[in-house]
Amino acid sequence: MNKLTMVSAALCLAMGTSVYAAPGGGEQGSTNGQPFKTINERIDILEMELGDAIALINNRLDLIEQEQLEQNARIDFLMTALTALEMRVTTNENHIATLTAIQDLQGQLIDALRTDLTALEIRVAQNENDIAALVLADAAMQALITAIQGEIVTINARIDANDTDISALQQRASELEQQLLIVSAELQTKQARVTGICEPGSSIREIFENGDVTCEPTNAAGVTALNTYRSSGVIETSNNLRSVTDDRYCLSGDRVVGGGHLLAGGQGSVLASYPISDGGWRITGDFNSAGKRTLTTYALCVGASQ
């Protein structure tokens, strides 16, 4: 391909040199150099056509070379496949030899199995009598099973009736348990009977949950001035926080001598009811479920002069 290009280039160079080597006067009175100009234009056209032809030939040569490369690749692939096929044939021949040996062994095994089959046929014939006896026993067993199934149906009906009674009893037990919880909550909020007494000239200052009292002297008129203050509010508890605390304070300068509480709107219990050091009364409660309730805390106070 390169040689063909060099030959065409040399040919074009020689033709161009012969045309422009001897400039002179024009032919038959024409302008000087006009015929040579026409020839040069023709030569240019020929050079272009020659270049196109050379390019076409070069493209064809490239295509042939590419096809040759592809054929070489196919040949290499076929050679590789042939080698692999030869290896597979060799492997298959080995397998065939192995299978032939296995077939011989299987023939021997079949002969042995035929002998065993004959012995088994003799044993089967001997067992047929036993099977007949077992069939009769099975029929008797089926009859017994049918009778037992009838008994099971009867027992299941009785169990269903018992389940209904049990469900009713469980519902009644649940209702009683709810009533017991309500009664227990009410009992825990109940004030114990007052058992303590105060001597003449004194009055009750504080009543405890167990019924005991604390006494204090009365004034000259025999009366102790008491002021009652209360603090009411809606308390909401969640499943994570059920314990609440509510405080009620006396007026500035007064002192607390007693206190109490009132719970409305739900179940719960009071864990503690006691005075606090800064002149007030504290109620601490615990509720057994989440929800809103109204807790009222009372503080019984006397003036500083009392």
Side-chain angles (χ1 to χ4, degrees), residues 197-204 215-219 222:
I197 59 175
C198 294
E199 298 294 334
S202 63
S203 61
I204 296 176
C215 301
E216 64 178 0
T218 58
N219 55 17

Side-chain angles (χ1 to χ4, degrees), residues 61-79:
L61 290 174
D62 291 339
L63 182 60
I64 292 172
E65 185 178 356
Q66 181 64 31
E67 291 178 351
Q68 184 64 38
L69 292 176
E70 292 177 355
Q71 289 179 356
N72 292 336
R74 291 192 188 99
I75 291 172
D76 292 338
F77 175 76
L78 291 174
M79 291 298 294

Side-chain angles (χ1 to χ4, degrees), residues 198-254:
C198 294
E199 298 294 334
S202 63
S203 61
I204 296 176
R205 175 181 178 181
E206 183 178 0
I207 300 175
F208 299 97
E209 291 184 358
N210 60 1
D212 292 339
V213 298
T214 299
C215 301
E216 64 178 0
T218 58
N219 55 17
V223 178
T224 300
L226 298 176
N227 296 315
T228 302
Y229 303 98
R230 71 175 186 174
S231 173
S232 296
V234 176
I235 296 175
E236 184 174 0
T237 58
S238 64
N239 291 327
N240 297 328
L241 179 63
R242 303 191 310 174
S243 179
V244 296
T245 299
D246 188 37
D247 296 339
R248 180 61 194 176
Y249 295 94
C250 299
L251 296 179
S252 178
D254 291 354

Side-chain angles (χ1 to χ4, degrees), residues 133-179:
L134 290 173
V135 169
L136 295 175
D138 181 69
M141 184 66 68
Q142 291 295 331
L144 179 60
I145 290 173
T146 302
I148 293 174
Q149 287 176 342
E151 294 293 334
I152 290 174
V153 171
T154 303
I155 293 173
N156 285 334
R158 295 176 62 186
I159 290 174
D160 292 338
N162 291 336
D163 289 339
T164 302
D165 295 339
I166 290 172
S167 297
L169 291 174
Q170 289 177 342
Q171 180 66 27
R172 180 57 180 166
S174 177
E175 294 175 356
L176 293 175
E177 184 178 358
Q178 291 295 116
Q179 294 177 3

